[in-house]
């Protein structure tokens, strides 16, 4: 769904206003049961040139940048401002597409949502206008949802499946004490 949103946001002439864009993100999330959250994050004044009008308002931070994170909150859908986007590691969902100008699937990471740590992965897509990075759109999938289909699977009577990210950090294992450890250790 992040890839499908790319043309909607990149076309400056048909780009929805901020409220309509959040409504669109909510609609996409409601239709994508496997997705936990969807987001878009824009460079300063790149969305509509109106960042100063949104400084500190609900769903924004002190920059006023358009940075909505639409996510599942129980059976409801909530909206918060994205956080940590300018910090290496925490902000990889924004910094990687900004640096590479390419789609990316992020390694498993921990992100605090509504006061609770969630382990997830993100698929992020850069938004580009006139060969210049203007923002990103992304979708998050909870690791618990991703691995639910392989938990409890037995291979050849005693084997099992575990999962590790590209750095070799185990994020799903039948022995919970192995989660977070390096595959190489």
């Amino acid at each position: 769904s992040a890839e499908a949103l790319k043309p909607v946001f990149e076309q400056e002439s048909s780009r929805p206003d901020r409220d309509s864009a959040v409504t669109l993100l909510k609609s996409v999330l409601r239709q994508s049961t496997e997705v936990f959250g969807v987001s878009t994050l824009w460079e300063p004044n790149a969305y509509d040139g109106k960042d100063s009008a949104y400084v500190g308002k609900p769903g924004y931070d002190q920059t006023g940048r358009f940075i909505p994170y639409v996510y599942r909150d129980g059976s409801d859908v909530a909206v918060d401002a994205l956080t940590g986007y300018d910090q290496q590691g925490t902000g990889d969902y924004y910094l990687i597409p900004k640096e590479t100008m390419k789609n990316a699937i992020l390694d498993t990471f921990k992100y605090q949502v509504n006061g609770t740590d969630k382990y997830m992965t993100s698929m992020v897509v850069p938004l580009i206008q006139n060969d210049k990075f203007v923002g990103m759109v992304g979708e998050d999938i909870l690791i618990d949802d991703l691995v639910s289909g392989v938990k409890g699977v037995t291979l050849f009577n005693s084997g099992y499946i575990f999962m590790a990210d590209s750095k070799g950090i185990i994020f799903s294992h039948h022995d919970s004490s192995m989660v977070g450890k390096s595959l190489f250790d």
Side-chain angles (χ1 to χ4, degrees):
S1 59
E3 187 67 37
L5 287 168
K6 181 178 175 76
V8 173
F9 286 119
E10 276 186 341
Q11 283 294 70
E12 196 171 2
S13 61
S14 62
R15 186 179 302 144
D17 64 52
R18 291 181 186 215
D19 289 340
S20 297
V22 170
T23 299
L24 174 63
L25 293 174
K26 287 178 177 179
S27 176
V28 167
L29 183 62
R30 286 187 178 105
Q31 294 173 20
S32 306
T33 56
E34 73 285 356
V35 176
F36 175 77
V38 291
S39 61
T40 189
L41 194 155
W42 289 75
E43 292 289 275
N45 281 311
Y47 193 77
D48 57 10
K50 299 177 182 177
D51 289 0
S52 63
Y54 292 91
V55 171
K57 290 192 174 183
Y60 292 86
D61 63 12
Q62 292 309 308
T63 67
R65 290 167 68 174
F66 190 46
I67 55 174
Y69 182 49
V70 178
Y71 62 94
R72 297 184 190 285
D73 187 11
S75 61
D76 202 6
V77 171
V79 182
D80 282 332
L82 288 164
T83 60
Y85 52 84
D86 54 354
Q87 302 166 8
Q88 282 302 126
T90 304
D92 284 354
Y93 62 90
Y94 167 67
L95 298 173
I96 289 175
K98 181 178 180 174
E99 181 181 317
T100 65
M101 297 198 32
K102 294 181 180 174
N103 295 5
I105 298 174
L106 303 184
D107 282 334
T108 304
F109 63 94
K110 180 171 57 172
Y111 190 78
Q112 194 169 85
V113 178
N114 212 15
T116 305
D117 287 339
K118 302 278 186 182
Y119 289 89
M120 59 182 74
T121 186
S122 294
M123 284 153 247
V124 293
V125 177
L127 300 171
I128 301 165
Q129 290 176 339
N130 301 321
D131 299 321
K132 182 181 172 202
F133 177 85
V134 293
M136 58 70 66
V137 64
E139 61 185 37
D140 296 334
I141 298 172
L142 294 179
I143 294 303
D144 287 347
D145 293 346
L146 184 66
V147 301
S148 65
V150 298
K151 283 188 175 179
V153 172
T154 303
L155 302 171
F156 306 107
N157 297 327
S158 63
Y160 56 88
I161 296 174
F162 69 90
M163 298 175 90
D165 66 18
S166 67
K167 295 177 185 129
I169 304 300
I170 298 169
F171 63 85
S172 176
H173 198 285
H174 77 284
D175 176 357
S176 60
S177 70
M178 295 297 293
V179 174
K181 295 194 173 159
S182 173
L183 178 65
F184 305 109
D185 292 339

